[in-house]
Amino acid sequence: MCAGCRFVSDNGTEVDVDFAADGSEVFDLWRLRGYGLSLPEPLDVTDQEMRSAVQSLQPLLNEVRPGWFGVAN
């Protein structure tokens, strides 16, 4: 079970994360897309482009469960 938290800056940029059972912050591509669309100059990319971007950040990020990503320990 996860519990989430959404932050909204004064300019409307949104960061939405969930917290896993161990307390670590995790996100999925839906949350990442919401962030991109909330930027002052919205960025709309495909799921494949987002997945490629996240995979390019390994080993900094890891897939904690299918479709969910977190910061590697």
Side-chain angles (χ1 to χ4, degrees):
M1 180 175 180
C2 293
C5 187
R6 182 175 70 145
F7 302 92
V8 181
S9 71
D10 290 340
N11 71 0
T13 301
E14 298 180 11
V15 175
D16 187 353
V17 297
D18 268 3
F19 297 98
D22 67 358
S24 61
E25 301 87 3
V26 295
F27 66 92
D28 60 359
L29 298 182
W30 180 82
R31 285 167 177 75
L32 192 56
R33 170 172 276 115
Y35 167 74
L37 293 173
S38 74
L39 293 170
E41 292 186 30
L43 179 61
D44 190 13
V45 296
T46 67
D47 282 353
Q48 183 56 43
E49 290 169 321
M50 285 190 290
R51 182 170 289 283
S52 293
V54 170
Q55 289 173 341
S56 75
L57 293 173
Q58 291 177 348
L60 300 175
L61 296 177
N62 60 3
E63 193 165 7
V64 296
R65 64 181 185 265
W68 288 84
F69 304 90
V71 175
N73 294 328

